[in-house]
Amino acid sequence: SRKVMLSVNDTDRPTYMVIDFMRRIFPVIAGTVVVPYYPVKNGMILVQGEDVDSFWIAHVIKYNLKKKTVTVRFFVKSAGDSIWFPENTQPQDVHRNSVIAIDFEGTWGTRYSHWEEY
């Protein structure tokens, strides 16, 4: 673990660049730099379902780095629409290895009541 600087290109879709001023091995090629990125509170993630082809959309309530779990509430898509509503279930803990994507594209509706997919 080393200190790095993070540079942000603030466009429609921000991109990030990591500057590791202590790196001793050059050139830098794909796969030689690993930057961990964790789910954040009120973010939307994709969670692996029971089958390879199934996944769930979930709202991140909290992230536990020590236990490697994410407490989430699952959402379901309304019929024929791109709006997601929370299931009528209690929040559940999901292991970090089950998270297959972070930052599911969309925006929150009023007070986190629903998610509008882009």
Side-chain angles (χ1 to χ4, degrees):
S1 296
R2 298 191 303 266
K3 293 181 181 178
V4 296
M5 293 184 291
L6 191 61
S7 174
V8 180
N9 177 10
D10 195 17
T11 59
D12 291 340
R13 182 154 178 104
T15 55
Y16 301 91
M17 179 176 60
V18 176
I19 302 167
D20 182 355
F21 54 90
M22 296 175 66
R23 186 169 180 89
R24 294 186 177 109
I25 300 170
F26 290 97
V28 177
I29 58 174
T32 62
V33 177
V34 177
V35 179
Y37 183 70
Y38 302 106
V40 294
K41 184 177 179 179
N42 294 326
M44 290 296 272
I45 60 174
L46 294 178
V47 178
Q48 181 68 52
E50 293 177 1
D51 301 326
V52 176
D53 297 331
S54 68
F55 61 89
W56 295 90
I57 307 247
H59 169 213
V60 177
I61 297 171
K62 66 181 177 179
Y63 183 82
N64 188 322
L65 187 61
K66 194 173 197 177
K67 291 183 179 179
K68 298 180 182 177
T69 60
V70 183
T71 303
V72 299
R73 170 167 253 159
F74 291 106
F75 275 50
V76 292
K77 193 173 190 176
S78 63
D81 206 351
S82 60
I83 298 178
W84 297 77
F85 292 97
E87 285 186 338
N88 193 17
T89 58
Q90 294 294 319
Q92 300 178 31
D93 286 339
V94 173
H95 195 274
R96 185 176 67 195
N97 290 345
S98 297
V99 177
I100 56 175
I102 300 174
D103 289 339
F104 184 67
E105 292 186 352
T107 185
W108 280 110
T110 309
R111 296 183 185 171
Y112 304 107
S113 65
H114 64 278
W115 180 261
E116 298 173 17
E117 184 179 350
Y118 290 144

PDB file of all heavy atoms in Angstrom, residues 23-47:
ATOM      1  N   ARG A  23       6.208   4.608  -8.033  1.00  0.00           N
ATOM      2  CA  ARG A  23       6.296   3.401  -8.860  1.00  0.00           C
ATOM      3  C   ARG A  23       7.703   3.256  -9.422  1.00  0.00           C
ATOM      4  O   ARG A  23       8.278   4.185  -9.967  1.00  0.00           O
ATOM      5  CB  ARG A  23       5.281   3.465  -9.990  1.00  0.00           C
ATOM      6  CG  ARG A  23       5.245   2.185 -10.788  1.00  0.00           C
ATOM      7  CD  ARG A  23       4.048   2.176 -11.713  1.00  0.00           C
ATOM      8  NE  ARG A  23       3.999   0.974 -12.483  1.00  0.00           N
ATOM      9  CZ  ARG A  23       3.389  -0.139 -12.103  1.00  0.00           C
ATOM     10  NH1 ARG A  23       2.766  -0.170 -10.960  1.00  0.00           N
ATOM     11  NH2 ARG A  23       3.392  -1.203 -12.879  1.00  0.00           N
ATOM     12  N   ARG A  24       8.248   2.050  -9.326  1.00  0.00           N
ATOM     13  CA  ARG A  24       9.613   1.809  -9.783  1.00  0.00           C
ATOM     14  C   ARG A  24       9.658   1.018 -11.082  1.00  0.00           C
ATOM     15  O   ARG A  24      10.711   0.887 -11.692  1.00  0.00           O
ATOM     16  CB  ARG A  24      10.389   1.047  -8.712  1.00  0.00           C
ATOM     17  CG  ARG A  24      10.593   1.867  -7.458  1.00  0.00           C
ATOM     18  CD  ARG A  24      11.492   1.130  -6.475  1.00  0.00           C
ATOM     19  NE  ARG A  24      11.729   1.965  -5.319  1.00  0.00           N
ATOM     20  CZ  ARG A  24      11.241   1.754  -4.115  1.00  0.00           C
ATOM     21  NH1 ARG A  24      10.479   0.722  -3.887  1.00  0.00           N
ATOM     22  NH2 ARG A  24      11.520   2.567  -3.129  1.00  0.00           N
ATOM     23  N   ILE A  25       8.530   0.421 -11.476  1.00  0.00           N
ATOM     24  CA  ILE A  25       8.516  -0.427 -12.663  1.00  0.00           C
ATOM     25  C   ILE A  25       7.778   0.297 -13.789  1.00  0.00           C
ATOM     26  O   ILE A  25       6.630   0.692 -13.637  1.00  0.00           O
ATOM     27  CB  ILE A  25       7.825  -1.767 -12.360  1.00  0.00           C
ATOM     28  CG1 ILE A  25       8.574  -2.504 -11.244  1.00  0.00           C
ATOM     29  CG2 ILE A  25       7.755  -2.632 -13.615  1.00  0.00           C
ATOM     30  CD1 ILE A  25       7.829  -3.710 -10.713  1.00  0.00           C
ATOM     31  N   PHE A  26       8.467   0.480 -14.899  1.00  0.00           N
ATOM     32  CA  PHE A  26       7.875   1.106 -16.081  1.00  0.00           C
ATOM     33  C   PHE A  26       8.153   0.221 -17.283  1.00  0.00           C
ATOM     34  O   PHE A  26       9.138  -0.503 -17.281  1.00  0.00           O
ATOM     35  CB  PHE A  26       8.472   2.504 -16.297  1.00  0.00           C
ATOM     36  CG  PHE A  26       8.034   3.490 -15.268  1.00  0.00           C
ATOM     37  CD1 PHE A  26       8.833   3.771 -14.171  1.00  0.00           C
ATOM     38  CD2 PHE A  26       6.814   4.133 -15.380  1.00  0.00           C
ATOM     39  CE1 PHE A  26       8.421   4.679 -13.213  1.00  0.00           C
ATOM     40  CE2 PHE A  26       6.396   5.049 -14.425  1.00  0.00           C
ATOM     41  CZ  PHE A  26       7.198   5.322 -13.341  1.00  0.00           C
ATOM     42  N   PRO A  27       7.405   0.221 -18.318  1.00  0.00           N
ATOM     43  CA  PRO A  27       6.199   1.004 -18.523  1.00  0.00           C
ATOM     44  C   PRO A  27       5.020   0.400 -17.754  1.00  0.00           C
ATOM     45  O   PRO A  27       5.051  -0.765 -17.373  1.00  0.00           O
ATOM     46  CB  PRO A  27       5.959   0.922 -20.033  1.00  0.00           C
ATOM     47  CG  PRO A  27       6.516  -0.417 -20.403  1.00  0.00           C
ATOM     48  CD  PRO A  27       7.711  -0.619 -19.491  1.00  0.00           C
ATOM     49  N   VAL A  28       3.990   1.182 -17.581  1.00  0.00           N
ATOM     50  CA  VAL A  28       2.772   0.724 -16.928  1.00  0.00           C
ATOM     51  C   VAL A  28       1.879   0.112 -18.002  1.00  0.00           C
ATOM     52  O   VAL A  28       1.567   0.761 -18.999  1.00  0.00           O
ATOM     53  CB  VAL A  28       2.044   1.897 -16.237  1.00  0.00           C
ATOM     54  CG1 VAL A  28       0.740   1.422 -15.621  1.00  0.00           C
ATOM     55  CG2 VAL A  28       2.938   2.523 -15.180  1.00  0.00           C
ATOM     56  N   ILE A  29       1.517  -1.142 -17.807  1.00  0.00           N
ATOM     57  CA  ILE A  29       0.636  -1.807 -18.771  1.00  0.00           C
ATOM     58  C   ILE A  29      -0.651  -2.229 -18.056  1.00  0.00           C
ATOM     59  O   ILE A  29      -0.713  -2.227 -16.820  1.00  0.00           O
ATOM     60  CB  ILE A  29       1.328  -3.032 -19.409  1.00  0.00           C
ATOM     61  CG1 ILE A  29       1.756  -4.030 -18.329  1.00  0.00           C
ATOM     62  CG2 ILE A  29       2.491  -2.613 -20.270  1.00  0.00           C
ATOM     63  CD1 ILE A  29       2.308  -5.323 -18.864  1.00  0.00           C
ATOM     64  N   ALA A  30      -1.661  -2.563 -18.837  1.00  0.00           N
ATOM     65  CA  ALA A  30      -2.952  -2.956 -18.270  1.00  0.00           C
ATOM     66  C   ALA A  30      -2.771  -4.136 -17.315  1.00  0.00           C
ATOM     67  O   ALA A  30      -2.057  -5.088 -17.615  1.00  0.00           O
ATOM     68  CB  ALA A  30      -3.914  -3.330 -19.385  1.00  0.00           C
ATOM     69  N   GLY A  31      -3.405  -4.050 -16.174  1.00  0.00           N
ATOM     70  CA  GLY A  31      -3.345  -5.124 -15.196  1.00  0.00           C
ATOM     71  C   GLY A  31      -2.262  -4.973 -14.150  1.00  0.00           C
ATOM     72  O   GLY A  31      -2.195  -5.749 -13.210  1.00  0.00           O
ATOM     73  N   THR A  32      -1.370  -3.983 -14.297  1.00  0.00           N
ATOM     74  CA  THR A  32      -0.307  -3.821 -13.302  1.00  0.00           C
ATOM     75  C   THR A  32      -0.700  -2.870 -12.186  1.00  0.00           C
ATOM     76  O   THR A  32      -0.019  -2.809 -11.177  1.00  0.00           O
ATOM     77  CB  THR A  32       0.999  -3.310 -13.952  1.00  0.00           C
ATOM     78  OG1 THR A  32       0.760  -2.025 -14.526  1.00  0.00           O
ATOM     79  CG2 THR A  32       1.494  -4.279 -15.005  1.00  0.00           C
ATOM     80  N   VAL A  33      -1.777  -2.124 -12.376  1.00  0.00           N
ATOM     81  CA  VAL A  33      -2.236  -1.192 -11.348  1.00  0.00           C
ATOM     82  C   VAL A  33      -3.621  -1.634 -10.896  1.00  0.00           C
ATOM     83  O   VAL A  33      -4.525  -1.822 -11.704  1.00  0.00           O
ATOM     84  CB  VAL A  33      -2.310   0.261 -11.884  1.00  0.00           C
ATOM     85  CG1 VAL A  33      -2.853   1.197 -10.821  1.00  0.00           C
ATOM     86  CG2 VAL A  33      -0.935   0.709 -12.357  1.00  0.00           C
ATOM     87  N   VAL A  34      -3.772  -1.845  -9.602  1.00  0.00           N
ATOM     88  CA  VAL A  34      -5.050  -2.253  -9.032  1.00  0.00           C
ATOM     89  C   VAL A  34      -5.494  -1.180  -8.053  1.00  0.00           C
ATOM     90  O   VAL A  34      -4.776  -0.853  -7.111  1.00  0.00           O
ATOM     91  CB  VAL A  34      -4.930  -3.610  -8.305  1.00  0.00           C
ATOM     92  CG1 VAL A  34      -6.247  -3.993  -7.659  1.00  0.00           C
ATOM     93  CG2 VAL A  34      -4.470  -4.682  -9.276  1.00  0.00           C
ATOM     94  N   VAL A  35      -6.670  -0.623  -8.297  1.00  0.00           N
ATOM     95  CA  VAL A  35      -7.232   0.391  -7.404  1.00  0.00           C
ATOM     96  C   VAL A  35      -8.546  -0.155  -6.868  1.00  0.00           C
ATOM     97  O   VAL A  35      -9.503  -0.327  -7.622  1.00  0.00           O
ATOM     98  CB  VAL A  35      -7.481   1.725  -8.143  1.00  0.00           C
ATOM     99  CG1 VAL A  35      -8.098   2.750  -7.200  1.00  0.00           C
ATOM    100  CG2 VAL A  35      -6.198   2.242  -8.741  1.00  0.00           C
ATOM    101  N   PRO A  36      -8.598  -0.484  -5.569  1.00  0.00           N
ATOM    102  CA  PRO A  36      -9.856  -1.011  -5.032  1.00  0.00           C
ATOM    103  C   PRO A  36     -10.939   0.061  -5.025  1.00  0.00           C
ATOM    104  O   PRO A  36     -10.673   1.226  -4.760  1.00  0.00           O
ATOM    105  CB  PRO A  36      -9.485  -1.433  -3.605  1.00  0.00           C
ATOM    106  CG  PRO A  36      -8.257  -0.680  -3.275  1.00  0.00           C
ATOM    107  CD  PRO A  36      -7.568  -0.373  -4.570  1.00  0.00           C
ATOM    108  N   TYR A  37     -12.132  -0.356  -5.357  1.00  0.00           N
ATOM    109  CA  TYR A  37     -13.276   0.554  -5.372  1.00  0.00           C
ATOM    110  C   TYR A  37     -14.427  -0.179  -4.709  1.00  0.00           C
ATOM    111  O   TYR A  37     -14.775  -1.281  -5.119  1.00  0.00           O
ATOM    112  CB  TYR A  37     -13.616   0.937  -6.815  1.00  0.00           C
ATOM    113  CG  TYR A  37     -14.742   1.920  -6.922  1.00  0.00           C
ATOM    114  CD1 TYR A  37     -14.580   3.235  -6.520  1.00  0.00           C
ATOM    115  CD2 TYR A  37     -15.978   1.532  -7.409  1.00  0.00           C
ATOM    116  CE1 TYR A  37     -15.614   4.147  -6.625  1.00  0.00           C
ATOM    117  CE2 TYR A  37     -17.018   2.434  -7.518  1.00  0.00           C
ATOM    118  CZ  TYR A  37     -16.825   3.742  -7.115  1.00  0.00           C
ATOM    119  OH  TYR A  37     -17.848   4.638  -7.209  1.00  0.00           O
ATOM    120  N   TYR A  38     -14.966   0.414  -3.681  1.00  0.00           N
ATOM    121  CA  TYR A  38     -15.990  -0.245  -2.893  1.00  0.00           C
ATOM    122  C   TYR A  38     -17.339   0.442  -3.074  1.00  0.00           C
ATOM    123  O   TYR A  38     -17.399   1.622  -3.376  1.00  0.00           O
ATOM    124  CB  TYR A  38     -15.604  -0.218  -1.412  1.00  0.00           C
ATOM    125  CG  TYR A  38     -14.273  -0.880  -1.149  1.00  0.00           C
ATOM    126  CD1 TYR A  38     -13.148  -0.121  -0.853  1.00  0.00           C
ATOM    127  CD2 TYR A  38     -14.150  -2.258  -1.206  1.00  0.00           C
ATOM    128  CE1 TYR A  38     -11.928  -0.734  -0.616  1.00  0.00           C
ATOM    129  CE2 TYR A  38     -12.935  -2.875  -0.981  1.00  0.00           C
ATOM    130  CZ  TYR A  38     -11.828  -2.113  -0.677  1.00  0.00           C
ATOM    131  OH  TYR A  38     -10.635  -2.721  -0.458  1.00  0.00           O
ATOM    132  N   PRO A  39     -18.421  -0.315  -2.862  1.00  0.00           N
ATOM    133  CA  PRO A  39     -19.743   0.315  -2.909  1.00  0.00           C
ATOM    134  C   PRO A  39     -19.846   1.410  -1.857  1.00  0.00           C
ATOM    135  O   PRO A  39     -19.228   1.326  -0.796  1.00  0.00           O
ATOM    136  CB  PRO A  39     -20.695  -0.832  -2.571  1.00  0.00           C
ATOM    137  CG  PRO A  39     -19.932  -2.082  -2.832  1.00  0.00           C
ATOM    138  CD  PRO A  39     -18.503  -1.741  -2.585  1.00  0.00           C
ATOM    139  N   VAL A  40     -20.633   2.433  -2.152  1.00  0.00           N
ATOM    140  CA  VAL A  40     -20.816   3.531  -1.210  1.00  0.00           C
ATOM    141  C   VAL A  40     -22.281   3.617  -0.806  1.00  0.00           C
ATOM    142  O   VAL A  40     -23.173   3.166  -1.539  1.00  0.00           O
ATOM    143  CB  VAL A  40     -20.355   4.882  -1.803  1.00  0.00           C
ATOM    144  CG1 VAL A  40     -18.862   4.896  -2.030  1.00  0.00           C
ATOM    145  CG2 VAL A  40     -21.091   5.186  -3.083  1.00  0.00           C
ATOM    146  N   LYS A  41     -22.530   4.188   0.350  1.00  0.00           N
ATOM    147  CA  LYS A  41     -23.883   4.341   0.852  1.00  0.00           C
ATOM    148  C   LYS A  41     -24.740   5.093  -0.176  1.00  0.00           C
ATOM    149  O   LYS A  41     -24.290   6.066  -0.771  1.00  0.00           O
ATOM    150  CB  LYS A  41     -23.855   5.102   2.176  1.00  0.00           C
ATOM    151  CG  LYS A  41     -25.211   5.234   2.817  1.00  0.00           C
ATOM    152  CD  LYS A  41     -25.112   5.925   4.152  1.00  0.00           C
ATOM    153  CE  LYS A  41     -26.496   6.062   4.752  1.00  0.00           C
ATOM    154  NZ  LYS A  41     -26.470   6.688   6.056  1.00  0.00           N
ATOM    155  N   ASN A  42     -25.960   4.610  -0.374  1.00  0.00           N
ATOM    156  CA  ASN A  42     -26.946   5.145  -1.315  1.00  0.00           C
ATOM    157  C   ASN A  42     -26.575   4.932  -2.778  1.00  0.00           C
ATOM    158  O   ASN A  42     -27.186   5.512  -3.660  1.00  0.00           O
ATOM    159  CB  ASN A  42     -27.253   6.618  -1.046  1.00  0.00           C
ATOM    160  CG  ASN A  42     -27.937   6.794   0.283  1.00  0.00           C
ATOM    161  OD1 ASN A  42     -28.719   5.941   0.704  1.00  0.00           O
ATOM    162  ND2 ASN A  42     -27.639   7.872   0.969  1.00  0.00           N
ATOM    163  N   GLY A  43     -25.587   4.088  -3.036  1.00  0.00           N
ATOM    164  CA  GLY A  43     -25.267   3.711  -4.398  1.00  0.00           C
ATOM    165  C   GLY A  43     -26.126   2.525  -4.814  1.00  0.00           C
ATOM    166  O   GLY A  43     -26.736   1.855  -3.987  1.00  0.00           O
ATOM    167  N   MET A  44     -26.188   2.277  -6.109  1.00  0.00           N
ATOM    168  CA  MET A  44     -26.909   1.121  -6.635  1.00  0.00           C
ATOM    169  C   MET A  44     -25.890   0.165  -7.238  1.00  0.00           C
ATOM    170  O   MET A  44     -24.967   0.591  -7.942  1.00  0.00           O
ATOM    171  CB  MET A  44     -27.919   1.548  -7.690  1.00  0.00           C
ATOM    172  CG  MET A  44     -29.090   2.305  -7.131  1.00  0.00           C
ATOM    173  SD  MET A  44     -30.118   1.350  -6.021  1.00  0.00           S
ATOM    174  CE  MET A  44     -31.256   0.614  -7.168  1.00  0.00           C
ATOM    175  N   ILE A  45     -26.056  -1.132  -6.939  1.00  0.00           N
ATOM    176  CA  ILE A  45     -25.113  -2.141  -7.402  1.00  0.00           C
ATOM    177  C   ILE A  45     -25.865  -3.305  -8.042  1.00  0.00           C
ATOM    178  O   ILE A  45     -27.072  -3.461  -7.857  1.00  0.00           O
ATOM    179  CB  ILE A  45     -24.235  -2.663  -6.242  1.00  0.00           C
ATOM    180  CG1 ILE A  45     -25.105  -3.300  -5.151  1.00  0.00           C
ATOM    181  CG2 ILE A  45     -23.360  -1.556  -5.685  1.00  0.00           C
ATOM    182  CD1 ILE A  45     -24.302  -3.970  -4.036  1.00  0.00           C
ATOM    183  N   LEU A  46     -25.127  -4.115  -8.796  1.00  0.00           N
ATOM    184  CA  LEU A  46     -25.656  -5.364  -9.335  1.00  0.00           C
ATOM    185  C   LEU A  46     -25.103  -6.500  -8.490  1.00  0.00           C
ATOM    186  O   LEU A  46     -23.902  -6.560  -8.232  1.00  0.00           O
ATOM    187  CB  LEU A  46     -25.235  -5.559 -10.787  1.00  0.00           C
ATOM    188  CG  LEU A  46     -25.783  -4.575 -11.805  1.00  0.00           C
ATOM    189  CD1 LEU A  46     -25.227  -4.894 -13.189  1.00  0.00           C
ATOM    190  CD2 LEU A  46     -27.290  -4.613 -11.835  1.00  0.00           C
ATOM    191  N   VAL A  47     -25.986  -7.416  -8.072  1.00  0.00           N
ATOM    192  CA  VAL A  47     -25.600  -8.545  -7.236  1.00  0.00           C
ATOM    193  C   VAL A  47     -25.889  -9.827  -8.007  1.00  0.00           C
ATOM    194  O   VAL A  47     -26.960  -9.964  -8.607  1.00  0.00           O
ATOM    195  CB  VAL A  47     -26.389  -8.533  -5.904  1.00  0.00           C
ATOM    196  CG1 VAL A  47     -26.022  -9.726  -5.043  1.00  0.00           C
ATOM    197  CG2 VAL A  47     -26.131  -7.237  -5.149  1.00  0.00           C
TER     198      VAL A  47
END
